[in-house]
Every structure is written in C-alpha cells, then in structure tokens.
Amino acid sequence: MAPQYELHPDRNYSNAVAGGGIGGLCTAIGLLHQGVPVTIYEAAPSFAEIGAGVSLGPNAARAMHLIDPAIHAGFLTRVTNNGWDDRKNFWFSFRKGEDTSTEFGTRFFDLWCETGQSSVHRARFLDELVALVPREVAHFGKRLEDVEDRGDHVLLRFADGTTAEHSALIGCDGIKSKVRLAVLGAEHPAAHAVFTGKYAYRGLIPMADAAALLGEELAMNSQMYLGHGGHILTFPIEHGKTMNVVAFSTKDDGKWEDSEWVKPLDREAMYRDFDGWVPATSKILSLMQKPDMWALFNHLPAPTYYKNRICVLGDAAHASTPHNGAGAGQAIEDALCMSRVMAHVYDSADIPRAFAAFDRVRRPRSQKQVQVACESGWLYDLQAPGIGDDWEKVKERLATKQQWLWDHDLEADVAEAVRVYQEESARL
C-alpha cells in the first residue's frame, strides 16, 4: 500500500505531471513528500519502462535519498553491482576491443566510483516507485495531444477526447515530448531531437551462459571494449542473473532517415560492425537474446525549460546519449530540484517564478551532460579530437571525465533554486 501524504491545506493550486517513467514518478513522489498536490497522466494502460538495464551513479543515489529515503531504499532492493568483491567499486574495466593478441582484449584501465557500477532493471525499479504513488493520483490511457496555456491555468487535451485543467504542467513525457513543443514551439530548432550519428544493439544474456563462454570475471563484472568507430559494454543486472549488453557503432553518413528509432536486429550487419574485434566480443554478440537496434538521438540545448505555467524535465528537457550512464540520474536530480522549490509555493500566481528558478539552476548542468555524453561516445569510439587512439590520452581522459557528474553538491543546487525563487518573490 502506498504511503499517505499530507497535502498542505493552504496551497490553492494543482499540478499535472505528464509521463509516468522514472523522472515523472520521482517528481510526483517528491511533490507529494513536500505536501504539494499532483496528478499524473500516463499514456500507457499502466506504468511501464522501455529497455532493460539502467545505470545510476552516486549523484543519482544521493538525489533519490534527498527526494524521499523510500525511493533510495527501493533502489537498494533492486540494485545490482559487480559480482566480485574486489570489483565492487569499479564503474567499468576498460579493454582494447581490437587487440587480438589476447582473447579478451587488454584491460588497460579501471575507473573507480563510490557506488561502483550500480544498475537496475528499469521495470523492476519502476515497480518500487509505483509502490510510493497513491492509486488515486494516477490516470492511465491519457496520451497528451495538446497543451494550451490560458494564463492562470493550463488546459490538457488527450487522445481519448478528454481534457483536464490544472494550475501548471510538468512535462516528463520523454524524448518525443509534446510538452517540449508547447514550451519552445514546434518550429524551434531545439524542439525536436536530432540523430547523433551513433546507434546501439541492445540485448540480454543469461549469466550462466555468459560465464560459461567468457569466464566469471568478464561476465559478472562490468566491462567496456573500445575500438575504432564503436564500443561494447556489458554489466550484470537482476542481482547477477542476467548480463546486459549494449554494442555501439557509428553511422558513417551521420543520417537516420527511418521514421522508426528502434528496429529489429540484423545480426549479419551487427557482426560486420565488429568484424576483426577480439574473440570475446564475438561470443558476446552471438549470445545476445531479444536484441534490437536503437538509433541514438539527443536534444540540442533549449533556451529555456519553461514557459509561464508549463515546464519540462528529464528526457523531455535534455534527452541524452547514454555514454555517461547519466540520463536517468539527471531526471532524478531534476525531480529533486523541482519538488524542493515547489515546496515553497503556496499561491498559484507564484508557479512561474518557481519554474524560472528550476530552469536557472538545472538547465546549465543538464545541458552540459548532454554535450559531455556525446564527447564520451567519441572517446570510447577512438574518435575524440586530439585523442583518437592514443591509449595514454584515452586513459587520462577516462580517469577524470565522470567526477563533475558524480561529485556534485545537489543540496547546494536546491539551496540556490530556493534562493532564486525567494529573491524574485521578494521583489514583487
């Protein structure tokens, strides 16, 4: 049974959250935890997440705990770390994927991380979040089609023909966000996601099969194989029962003209992409179950995340490539900042100032992550300008590239957002 939240009786407004993924649910839980009213509108018939494993760094873990310790507790029940004790605090072990002098590729660097490689199965983590949301808060089958800002409230129109009115709308509706279009306008250069020139093959391997072919060390602990134009990463999920695999490659012409971003796997094309790599990678690719191919899109930097009473966060605001393992973590950071600044809002007229404070604090960091994630993809694929396949330079960059993400002071961000909001309110 979901916990009972006590809403503050003096608040004269209602918030809508569009989208019930990780970002939307963390936002809703955060708002409820602060006594702020919220209604979730989810397009699907039930809460659901696409994809298998998702990595969450130490910054994301801290954000969960700051939003609601129950979120972090749920995460801990589902999290999977590296299987060997002496690898618990490694994010990845990096290997030379084309070094065929060895079967497994020369391991040249281990990146230490406070929480190691902390991964969860998306659907299982979502179950933990759903358990914290009162049933009456969520409405399903509500695919948002249009948003109209009417000055003192917003009108939501859904595909089923129904409408809803709220004081504000927080868009957590993903990379193809309708709420983003309402904020920026459909013709804005940053309104729609763009292809990054990279695509990925994703699949799962039963851990017993992976260990039999690769050995326990490589199967049970996170690995990343780097090569020219691509890289392959593996890490355990579902408490070590499954090995998650993502193999990235580069589209030479930089174009994705198919209307579908996720396509069935062409195994022969995948094998060609990694032809000549170390034998271990061939074994990994051959074992992948339920594989598919994902085109990797991201957002160009938006000039704002809000417009009056409409705001976006998570992938709707700053969709990213996955090369820093930070997309979901940034959505959780957004949820923390949004819920804490909205905790200071009691009058509906003050909502736009809260959104402005959120935007000022969260936009620079989250947009930097989108750019740095692209740069990480180039690094892994030995395409980084000035670095290429100089392995010493690759190692130097790997050693430092995650610290700004992982070691960030989230409580200082919250304090700054609240300060900005209160300062602007005091001027009225």
Side-chain angles (χ1 to χ4, degrees):
M1 180 180 295
Q4 295 298 308
Y5 299 95
E6 185 176 346
L7 301 182
H8 199 289
D10 293 339
R11 300 188 202 275
N12 68 347
Y13 62 87
S14 65
N15 294 301
V17 167
I22 291 173
L25 290 183
C26 284
T27 299
I29 294 165
L31 292 171
L32 290 169
H33 200 66
Q34 298 295 328
V36 177
V38 64
T39 302
I40 305 169
Y41 295 98
E42 166 57 37
S46 62
F47 291 123
E49 271 282 358
I50 297 174
V54 58
S55 294
L56 293 161
N59 56 307
R62 290 195 301 275
M64 291 179 217
H65 196 272
L66 289 168
I67 295 169
D68 183 344
I71 296 178
H72 187 244
F75 166 72
L76 291 179
T77 67
R78 300 291 187 172
V79 70
T80 301
N81 299 105
N82 284 336
W84 285 16
D85 288 342
D86 64 347
R87 305 292 173 84
K88 292 292 187 187
N89 288 110
F90 289 163
W91 188 53
F92 278 101
S93 292
F94 293 87
R95 296 176 177 271
K96 298 179 181 180
E98 296 167 302
D99 178 8
T100 54
S101 65
T102 69
E103 182 178 358
F104 305 117
T106 302
R107 176 177 151 203
F108 70 96
F109 184 64
D110 298 319
L111 181 54
W112 188 92
C113 175
E114 176 189 345
T115 53
Q117 175 55 245
S118 297
S119 307
V120 290
H121 192 289
R122 285 180 179 271
R124 303 291 81 76
F125 181 44
L126 204 72
D127 290 343
E128 298 296 328
L129 298 176
V130 169
L132 301 176
V133 177
R135 187 171 300 176
E136 64 272 16
V137 165
H139 298 267
F140 299 102
K142 296 297 180 181
R143 182 172 299 281
L144 188 65
E145 288 292 322
D146 183 54
V147 183
E148 183 180 344
D149 188 331
R150 294 189 167 183
D152 62 351
H153 68 280
V154 293
L155 176 68
L156 284 62
R157 296 187 178 90
F158 301 102
D160 65 359
T162 62
T163 62
E165 290 187 1
H166 289 274
S167 308
L169 170 62
I170 302 170
C172 307
D173 51 338
I175 191 170
K176 298 182 180 181
S177 170
K178 289 291 182 71
V179 184
R180 184 182 181 90
L181 302 185
V183 171
L184 298 179
E187 302 306 315
H188 192 281
H192 302 277
V194 297
F195 182 54
T196 64
K198 303 288 184 182
Y199 56 93
Y201 305 103
R202 304 185 187 218
L204 303 172
I205 302 175
M207 186 59 74
D209 295 344
L213 273 183
L214 300 171
E216 286 192 356
E217 178 184 2
L218 269 66
M220 297 176 64
N221 303 294
S222 51
Q223 311 291 323
M224 194 182 300
Y225 305 81
L226 311 188
H228 291 87
H231 66 284
I232 300 172
L233 58 85
T234 67
F235 56 85
I237 59 172
E238 297 185 301
H239 296 304
K241 296 177 183 176
T242 304
M243 188 170 84
N244 191 58
V245 182
V246 191
F248 297 87
S249 193
T250 304
K251 201 164 188 300
D252 292 336
D253 63 4
K255 298 178 181 178
W256 189 270
E257 296 175 338
D258 198 303
S259 61
E260 297 295 326
W261 295 2
V262 180
K263 302 181 69 175
L265 176 69
D266 179 343
R267 280 195 180 270
E268 292 308 312
M270 179 176 68
Y271 293 148
R272 285 194 300 271
D273 281 345
F274 298 95
D275 185 41
W277 284 48
V278 297
T281 61
S282 298
K283 293 178 180 179
I284 291 167
L285 298 178
S286 69
L287 285 174
M288 288 170 63
Q289 297 182 359
K290 301 179 180 178
D292 45 28
M293 177 181 176
W294 295 58
L296 301 183
F297 283 70
N298 69 5
H299 279 140
L300 299 176
T304 181
Y305 286 171
Y306 84 103
K307 182 179 180 182
N308 194 30
R309 294 173 175 273
I310 304 172
C311 192
V312 288
L313 61 73
D315 281 354
H318 42 78
S320 168
T321 53
H323 305 306
N324 286 336
Q330 287 302 293
I332 297 169
E333 287 188 20
D334 285 346
L336 169 64
C337 191
M338 176 64 77
S339 59
R340 288 294 187 87
V341 74
M342 287 297 293
H344 294 266
V345 177
Y346 291 88
D347 192 287
S348 176
D350 295 331
I351 291 173
R353 281 186 290 282
F355 285 172
F358 168 86
D359 175 72
R360 187 188 299 187
V361 171
R362 286 298 304 153
R363 186 156 46 88
R365 174 167 163 82
S366 58
Q367 290 182 343
K368 178 181 177 181
Q369 196 291 126
V370 175
Q371 177 60 34
V372 174
C374 275
E375 294 170 0
S376 292
W378 301 334
L379 179 71
Y380 304 152
D381 295 353
L382 309 182
Q383 298 168 326
I387 298 178
D389 58 4
D390 184 324
W391 290 105
E392 280 305 310
K393 290 182 178 179
V394 171
K395 181 177 177 179
E396 289 173 9
R397 185 72 186 96
L398 288 172
T400 59
K401 78 179 193 69
Q402 297 289 119
Q403 303 331 116
W404 75 276
L405 268 171
W406 293 342
D407 298 341
H408 190 68
D409 189 341
L410 299 175
E411 292 181 275
D413 280 358
V414 168
E416 176 63 8
V418 171
R419 185 197 67 78
V420 170
Y421 168 73
Q422 292 177 333
E423 187 175 88
E424 291 298 315
S425 298
R427 290 177 179 174
L428 298 180

